Amino acid sequence: MPQTLDLTAATIDYEDTGGDGPVLLFVHGLLVDGTLWRKVVTQLDGFRCVVPTMPLGSHRTPARDRSALTPEGIADMLAELMERLELTDVTIVANDTGGALTQLLLTRRPERVGAVVFTPCDAFENFLPPAFRPLQWLAKARLLGPVLLGARIRAVRSSPLAYGLLTKRRVPAEVLEGWVRPALSSRGVRGDVQYFTRHIDKRLTLDAATKLGAFDRPVLFAWAAEDRFFKIAFAERLAAVFPDARVEPIADSATFVPEDQPDVLARLIAGFAGASGDNRPRDAAGRGRREHSDALRNV
């Protein structure tokens, strides 16, 4: 059942499957909510899955302190969430903008994080990708909120103007409705997402990349091999920054891997998060191998 948590700057909704298994914290990106992970979480029996909806445009309750809705502020909000729920040795699973937020978290408050799974996400100078930078320009011109109202037209939602190029498979209409309805219904939510988007800056991810080498715990890049916005070269480049990281390409998927290939992603997460540190692949120097799985290309 959905629950709510009052954080310092905002009240957020989240789901928690409970249990004593390894903890997985799922972090979505801009203009979606925790339902992005619905097909994956149901396949992760034996894990405690915590799935928040962060104030990134599909949240139900406008933030109390909008000034906290910067990329750094949302990263700190994730740290506060883990602290409030007393989560430790957490494996974070991140997608899209959530991957950039996770990178910032690792450079600011990494103490509760035991491992990370990055699916296609912003990194380096690709925050936001060129195709989505008009969202930043609109936000800086205070026009993003009115533009979001275009999602009232149902055909727009699955078109290339909205979510259409982020998946290879059609997202169910009821899921899209959940993603767009908060911004359509609430001026406060529209103001929140406009404020956040206005503060996106590639200097944040470029600076984070210079510091991520200090995170010496395991990192997996479960990346769509054919993603047009977050090309796998970014995964390979970012993996090279971490002391213990590897890349696993996933075939037949766009950016939203949890939507396109949930079975493959769930297997990768379970194998990675369920393994002991001694069983994770390392080379003779003790550093994580950055390798491709040819078998997964054909899954």
Side-chain angles (χ1 to χ4, degrees):
M1 291 290 294
Q3 303 177 62
T4 60
L5 182 65
D6 288 328
L7 300 178
T8 302
T11 297
I12 65 165
D13 298 321
Y14 74 101
E15 294 198 12
D16 186 344
T17 61
D20 298 324
V23 179
L24 305 174
L25 174 62
F26 292 84
V27 183
H28 63 79
L30 195 62
L31 294 170
V32 300
D33 63 16
T35 61
L36 176 72
W37 306 104
R38 68 197 185 283
K39 297 179 183 178
V40 176
V41 168
T42 56
Q43 300 185 56
L44 290 168
D45 293 339
F47 291 88
R48 178 182 176 185
C49 297
V50 179
V51 189
T53 289
M54 303 304 291
L56 295 173
S58 296
H59 55 296
R60 278 61 176 173
T61 305
R64 288 186 297 278
D65 180 7
R66 185 171 289 167
S67 68
L69 302 187
T70 63
E72 307 101 305
I74 301 290
D76 291 343
M77 203 176 291
L78 289 168
E80 183 183 3
L81 180 151
M82 288 188 284
E83 181 179 355
R84 291 285 303 279
L85 295 181
E86 300 182 342
L87 307 179
T88 58
D89 196 26
V90 175
T91 295
I92 294 182
V93 185
N95 177 255
D96 194 29
T97 326
L101 300 175
T102 300
Q103 292 163 50
L104 297 177
L105 172 66
L106 297 182
T107 67
R108 294 168 69 85
R109 298 176 62 181
E111 57 273 6
R112 293 177 179 268
V113 183
V116 180
V117 178
F118 288 109
T119 65
C121 66
D122 303 79
F124 300 108
E125 66 276 6
N126 208 38
F127 185 37
L128 295 170
F132 297 110
R133 283 180 196 153
L135 295 177
Q136 291 175 275
W137 305 334
L138 289 166
K140 289 177 180 179
R142 309 299 201 273
L143 294 173
L144 180 58
V147 168
L148 293 176
L149 294 176
R152 286 192 175 122
I153 303 171
R154 293 180 184 274
V156 169
R157 300 173 188 178
S158 56
S159 77
L161 295 174
Y163 301 97
L165 297 179
L166 295 170
T167 63
K168 288 197 165 189
R169 291 149 184 83
R170 184 173 291 273
V171 179
E174 64 272 16
V175 174
L176 289 175
E177 174 71 17
W179 291 352
V180 304
R181 181 52 50 191
L184 294 179
S185 304
S186 169
R187 178 179 296 178
V189 169
R190 293 195 299 275
D192 285 353
V193 69
Q194 180 164 270
Y195 186 89
F196 174 83
T197 308
R198 207 168 79 227
H199 288 83
I200 290 174
D201 191 328
K202 66 183 179 181
R203 289 176 293 185
L204 295 171
T205 41
L206 286 167
D207 179 67
T210 68
K211 303 172 182 176
L212 290 171
F215 184 80
D216 61 357
R217 282 148 274 179
V219 180
L220 172 67
F221 290 83
W223 210 272
E226 304 160 37
D227 195 324
R228 67 181 70 192
F229 304 118
F230 305 106
K231 296 186 182 299
I232 200 165
F234 281 99
E236 294 163 342
R237 183 176 160 196
L238 193 56
V241 170
F242 290 97
D244 185 357
R246 75 180 193 268
V247 179
E248 294 279 5
I250 298 176
D252 192 25
S253 180
T255 301
F256 288 172
V257 175
E259 196 70 42
D260 284 338
Q261 293 292 350
D263 299 351
V264 177
L265 182 57
R267 288 200 299 270
L268 285 171
I269 293 169
F272 175 74
S276 68
D278 290 341
N279 289 332
R280 287 179 176 133
R282 295 175 179 269
D283 62 21
R287 297 169 63 86
R289 292 182 319 204
R290 292 174 262 279
E291 60 185 16
H292 295 280
S293 171
D294 292 336
L296 282 172
R297 292 182 185 275
N298 300 314
V299 170

